[in-house]
Amino acid sequence: MKFFKHLKVVLKHKWWVFKLCRMAGIPWRGLIHDLSKFTPTELIESVKYFHGHRSPLAVCKETEGYSKAWLHHKGRNKHHFEYWIDPMAPEPYPVIPYIYTVEMICDTLSAGLVYQGKDWKPDYQLSYFKARKDRNYMNPKIVAILEEVYTEIAEKESIKLVINKKHLKEIYDKYTKN
């Protein structure tokens, strides 16, 4: 049963990401989003630690101390800022390219919508983002972009008014163009 419940959550998440990526003008990224979740490395662990109301990989990390599925996932999906971290590089936390930054926004919004369900509110993502301890490992320009997008969604009480190609490109350029 856990397999089918997990599959339902993943497919619901992928559907939301696709819808949001279409709105943002990057439908292909939405279509191929998180395909690695269907690999044995990620699928087996995710089903084993499935809870329904939060990420099974977070549960696995709490139980095992780490998650093989997460290490696999973040190493193959450029919309995760962790993909870009390289402590040995001259710039350990680079500016993530536009397309993956937008996919990251769509991904995080989708996760909130799926896991919060009927309890989701437009200010949820901003509150969640501000509470994240790992923000220190993101490039400050990316942090500023995400904060502005999530703040606008909270203030306008609408995803539709914020998630569109022109507006997201303006925000991205505002922080990344010198």
Side-chain angles (χ1 to χ4, degrees):
M1 252 353 242
K2 283 170 108 177
F3 172 81
F4 292 108
K5 288 180 179 180
H6 172 68
L7 188 60
K8 181 180 177 183
V9 170
V10 169
L11 293 175
K12 189 174 184 181
H13 171 71
K14 282 187 60 57
W15 174 246
W16 270 110
V17 172
F18 177 67
K19 284 175 63 171
L20 294 169
C21 282
R22 270 192 0 229
M23 290 167 53
I26 56 167
W28 178 250
R29 294 303 316 161
L31 193 61
I32 64 169
H33 177 80
D34 278 355
L35 289 178
S36 68
K37 286 188 176 185
F38 300 102
T39 63
T41 301
E42 293 183 35
L43 187 61
I44 293 167
E45 186 175 292
S46 296
V47 169
K48 180 179 178 182
Y49 291 97
F50 177 79
H51 275 42
H53 59 280
R54 59 190 287 235
S55 167
L57 306 187
V59 177
C60 178
K61 287 178 195 179
E62 291 168 4
T63 307
E64 304 293 331
Y66 73 100
S67 165
K68 287 181 188 175
W70 171 243
L71 295 172
H72 185 270
H73 187 74
K74 73 175 179 102
R76 285 155 181 79
N77 293 281
K78 296 177 183 179
H79 64 274
H80 289 287
F81 75 89
E82 297 90 343
Y83 174 93
W84 300 94
I85 295 173
D86 184 354
M88 302 306 289
E91 179 57 57
Y93 313 115
V95 172
I96 301 166
Y98 170 77
I99 196 165
Y100 303 116
T101 300
V102 172
E103 186 180 354
M104 181 190 324
I105 291 165
C106 296
D107 181 43
T108 56
L109 288 169
S110 171
L113 288 161
V114 170
Y115 285 121
Q116 294 300 303
K118 293 176 186 170
D119 295 330
W120 185 88
K121 297 194 177 11
D123 65 344
Y124 172 78
Q125 200 58 49
L126 179 62
S127 300
Y128 182 83
F129 183 69
K130 284 186 173 185
R132 289 185 71 158
K133 295 175 186 158
D134 59 0
R135 291 171 10 136
N136 297 332
Y137 299 104
M138 288 185 206
N139 185 290
K141 293 175 182 179
I142 298 301
V143 170
I145 292 165
L146 297 176
E147 271 192 20
E148 182 164 334
V149 170
Y150 301 147
T151 298
E152 284 191 14
I153 291 169
E155 289 173 352
K156 295 178 180 181
E157 296 188 351
S158 172
I159 289 174
K160 290 179 183 176
L161 296 176
V162 179
I163 304 299
N164 66 72
K165 185 176 184 174
K166 183 177 185 268
H167 188 60
L168 292 173
K169 186 70 171 132
E170 287 171 357
I171 293 172
Y172 185 85
D173 288 348
K174 174 179 164 181
Y175 291 101
T176 60
K177 300 284 183 191
N178 292 332

mmCIF file of all heavy atoms in Angstrom, residues 105-123:
data_model
loop_
_atom_site.group_PDB
_atom_site.id
_atom_site.type_symbol
_atom_site.label_atom_id
_atom_site.label_comp_id
_atom_site.label_asym_id
_atom_site.label_seq_id
_atom_site.Cartn_x
_atom_site.Cartn_y
_atom_site.Cartn_z
ATOM 1 N N ILE A 105 11.814 27.149 -7.771
ATOM 2 C CA ILE A 105 10.655 27.866 -7.236
ATOM 3 C C ILE A 105 9.389 27.028 -7.440
ATOM 4 O O ILE A 105 8.595 26.847 -6.512
ATOM 5 C CB ILE A 105 10.521 29.250 -7.912
ATOM 6 C CG1 ILE A 105 11.674 30.159 -7.466
ATOM 7 C CG2 ILE A 105 9.166 29.884 -7.608
ATOM 8 C CD1 ILE A 105 11.860 31.411 -8.315
ATOM 9 N N CYS A 106 9.210 26.502 -8.634
ATOM 10 C CA CYS A 106 8.033 25.672 -8.935
ATOM 11 C C CYS A 106 8.021 24.409 -8.072
ATOM 12 O O CYS A 106 6.966 23.984 -7.581
ATOM 13 C CB CYS A 106 8.000 25.319 -10.418
ATOM 14 S SG CYS A 106 7.815 26.757 -11.503
ATOM 15 N N ASP A 107 9.195 23.827 -7.860
ATOM 16 C CA ASP A 107 9.332 22.621 -7.042
ATOM 17 C C ASP A 107 8.942 22.889 -5.588
ATOM 18 O O ASP A 107 8.178 22.134 -4.991
ATOM 19 C CB ASP A 107 10.777 22.119 -7.130
ATOM 20 C CG ASP A 107 11.042 20.858 -6.330
ATOM 21 O OD1 ASP A 107 10.200 19.934 -6.376
ATOM 22 O OD2 ASP A 107 12.094 20.785 -5.680
ATOM 23 N N THR A 108 9.460 23.968 -5.027
ATOM 24 C CA THR A 108 9.180 24.242 -3.611
ATOM 25 C C THR A 108 7.714 24.633 -3.402
ATOM 26 O O THR A 108 7.102 24.218 -2.415
ATOM 27 C CB THR A 108 10.119 25.339 -3.061
ATOM 28 O OG1 THR A 108 10.007 26.514 -3.867
ATOM 29 C CG2 THR A 108 11.561 24.865 -3.049
ATOM 30 N N LEU A 109 7.173 25.397 -4.330
ATOM 31 C CA LEU A 109 5.748 25.727 -4.221
ATOM 32 C C LEU A 109 4.893 24.467 -4.306
ATOM 33 O O LEU A 109 3.944 24.290 -3.531
ATOM 34 C CB LEU A 109 5.337 26.721 -5.309
ATOM 35 C CG LEU A 109 5.830 28.149 -5.142
ATOM 36 C CD1 LEU A 109 5.576 28.951 -6.402
ATOM 37 C CD2 LEU A 109 5.161 28.800 -3.935
ATOM 38 N N SER A 110 5.239 23.589 -5.245
ATOM 39 C CA SER A 110 4.506 22.342 -5.400
ATOM 40 C C SER A 110 4.584 21.492 -4.137
ATOM 41 O O SER A 110 3.573 20.928 -3.693
ATOM 42 C CB SER A 110 5.049 21.554 -6.594
ATOM 43 O OG SER A 110 4.475 20.267 -6.626
ATOM 44 N N ALA A 111 5.773 21.401 -3.546
ATOM 45 C CA ALA A 111 5.924 20.605 -2.319
ATOM 46 C C ALA A 111 5.016 21.161 -1.220
ATOM 47 O O ALA A 111 4.342 20.404 -0.518
ATOM 48 C CB ALA A 111 7.383 20.600 -1.872
ATOM 49 N N GLY A 112 4.985 22.473 -1.090
ATOM 50 C CA GLY A 112 4.110 23.079 -0.090
ATOM 51 C C GLY A 112 2.645 22.790 -0.366
ATOM 52 O O GLY A 112 1.882 22.428 0.531
ATOM 53 N N LEU A 113 2.249 22.925 -1.630
ATOM 54 C CA LEU A 113 0.854 22.674 -2.004
ATOM 55 C C LEU A 113 0.455 21.223 -1.743
ATOM 56 O O LEU A 113 -0.648 20.949 -1.255
ATOM 57 C CB LEU A 113 0.642 23.010 -3.482
ATOM 58 C CG LEU A 113 0.654 24.502 -3.827
ATOM 59 C CD1 LEU A 113 0.893 24.710 -5.313
ATOM 60 C CD2 LEU A 113 -0.646 25.154 -3.385
ATOM 61 N N VAL A 114 1.351 20.302 -2.050
ATOM 62 C CA VAL A 114 1.040 18.874 -1.888
ATOM 63 C C VAL A 114 1.039 18.475 -0.416
ATOM 64 O O VAL A 114 0.091 17.848 0.066
ATOM 65 C CB VAL A 114 2.013 17.995 -2.710
ATOM 66 C CG1 VAL A 114 1.856 16.520 -2.356
ATOM 67 C CG2 VAL A 114 1.789 18.214 -4.196
ATOM 68 N N TYR A 115 2.093 18.833 0.316
ATOM 69 C CA TYR A 115 2.189 18.392 1.713
ATOM 70 C C TYR A 115 1.242 19.152 2.646
ATOM 71 O O TYR A 115 0.774 18.601 3.633
ATOM 72 C CB TYR A 115 3.628 18.485 2.216
ATOM 73 C CG TYR A 115 4.506 17.378 1.677
ATOM 74 C CD1 TYR A 115 5.641 17.651 0.932
ATOM 75 C CD2 TYR A 115 4.198 16.043 1.905
ATOM 76 C CE1 TYR A 115 6.448 16.634 0.432
ATOM 77 C CE2 TYR A 115 4.983 15.017 1.413
ATOM 78 C CZ TYR A 115 6.105 15.320 0.683
ATOM 79 O OH TYR A 115 6.891 14.309 0.188
ATOM 80 N N GLN A 116 0.934 20.408 2.332
ATOM 81 C CA GLN A 116 0.008 21.169 3.175
ATOM 82 C C GLN A 116 -1.448 20.936 2.791
ATOM 83 O O GLN A 116 -2.337 21.112 3.600
ATOM 84 C CB GLN A 116 0.330 22.670 3.104
ATOM 85 C CG GLN A 116 1.666 23.034 3.699
ATOM 86 C CD GLN A 116 1.764 22.665 5.154
ATOM 87 O OE1 GLN A 116 0.948 23.094 5.973
ATOM 88 N NE2 GLN A 116 2.739 21.847 5.498
ATOM 89 N N GLY A 117 -1.658 20.583 1.534
ATOM 90 C CA GLY A 117 -3.022 20.306 1.076
ATOM 91 C C GLY A 117 -3.949 21.486 1.294
ATOM 92 O O GLY A 117 -3.616 22.623 0.962
ATOM 93 N N LYS A 118 -5.091 21.236 1.901
ATOM 94 C CA LYS A 118 -6.101 22.282 2.130
ATOM 95 C C LYS A 118 -5.627 23.345 3.115
ATOM 96 O O LYS A 118 -6.187 24.439 3.172
ATOM 97 C CB LYS A 118 -7.400 21.655 2.637
ATOM 98 C CG LYS A 118 -8.082 20.789 1.613
ATOM 99 C CD LYS A 118 -9.300 20.097 2.173
ATOM 100 C CE LYS A 118 -9.860 19.139 1.143
ATOM 101 N NZ LYS A 118 -10.892 18.274 1.685
ATOM 102 N N ASP A 119 -4.590 23.038 3.876
ATOM 103 C CA ASP A 119 -4.061 23.998 4.847
ATOM 104 C C ASP A 119 -3.058 24.978 4.232
ATOM 105 O O ASP A 119 -2.590 25.897 4.907
ATOM 106 C CB ASP A 119 -3.386 23.261 6.015
ATOM 107 C CG ASP A 119 -4.378 22.445 6.820
ATOM 108 O OD1 ASP A 119 -5.562 22.844 6.891
ATOM 109 O OD2 ASP A 119 -3.972 21.405 7.369
ATOM 110 N N TRP A 120 -2.714 24.783 2.945
ATOM 111 C CA TRP A 120 -1.749 25.679 2.303
ATOM 112 C C TRP A 120 -2.315 27.088 2.215
ATOM 113 O O TRP A 120 -3.475 27.289 1.884
ATOM 114 C CB TRP A 120 -1.399 25.181 0.896
ATOM 115 C CG TRP A 120 -0.316 26.008 0.265
ATOM 116 C CD1 TRP A 120 1.019 25.819 0.379
ATOM 117 C CD2 TRP A 120 -0.491 27.156 -0.574
ATOM 118 N NE1 TRP A 120 1.708 26.784 -0.320
ATOM 119 C CE2 TRP A 120 0.801 27.626 -0.916
ATOM 120 C CE3 TRP A 120 -1.593 27.855 -1.054
ATOM 121 C CZ2 TRP A 120 1.013 28.739 -1.723
ATOM 122 C CZ3 TRP A 120 -1.378 28.964 -1.856
ATOM 123 C CH2 TRP A 120 -0.093 29.390 -2.190
ATOM 124 N N LYS A 121 -1.453 28.049 2.521
ATOM 125 C CA LYS A 121 -1.815 29.457 2.411
ATOM 126 C C LYS A 121 -0.701 30.171 1.646
ATOM 127 O O LYS A 121 0.444 29.715 1.647
ATOM 128 C CB LYS A 121 -1.993 30.059 3.797
ATOM 129 C CG LYS A 121 -3.133 29.404 4.564
ATOM 130 C CD LYS A 121 -3.538 30.199 5.769
ATOM 131 C CE LYS A 121 -4.722 29.635 6.519
ATOM 132 N NZ LYS A 121 -5.207 28.352 6.209
ATOM 133 N N PRO A 122 -1.003 31.287 0.993
ATOM 134 C CA PRO A 122 0.002 31.980 0.185
ATOM 135 C C PRO A 122 1.276 32.392 0.931
ATOM 136 O O PRO A 122 2.325 32.551 0.309
ATOM 137 C CB PRO A 122 -0.744 33.212 -0.341
ATOM 138 C CG PRO A 122 -2.169 32.796 -0.367
ATOM 139 C CD PRO A 122 -2.334 31.894 0.834
ATOM 140 N N ASP A 123 1.214 32.534 2.227
ATOM 141 C CA ASP A 123 2.419 32.913 2.984
ATOM 142 C C ASP A 123 3.217 31.698 3.464
ATOM 143 O O ASP A 123 4.275 31.848 4.077
ATOM 144 C CB ASP A 123 2.070 33.809 4.169
ATOM 145 C CG ASP A 123 1.227 33.102 5.221
ATOM 146 O OD1 ASP A 123 0.656 32.024 4.931
ATOM 147 O OD2 ASP A 123 1.139 33.623 6.341
#
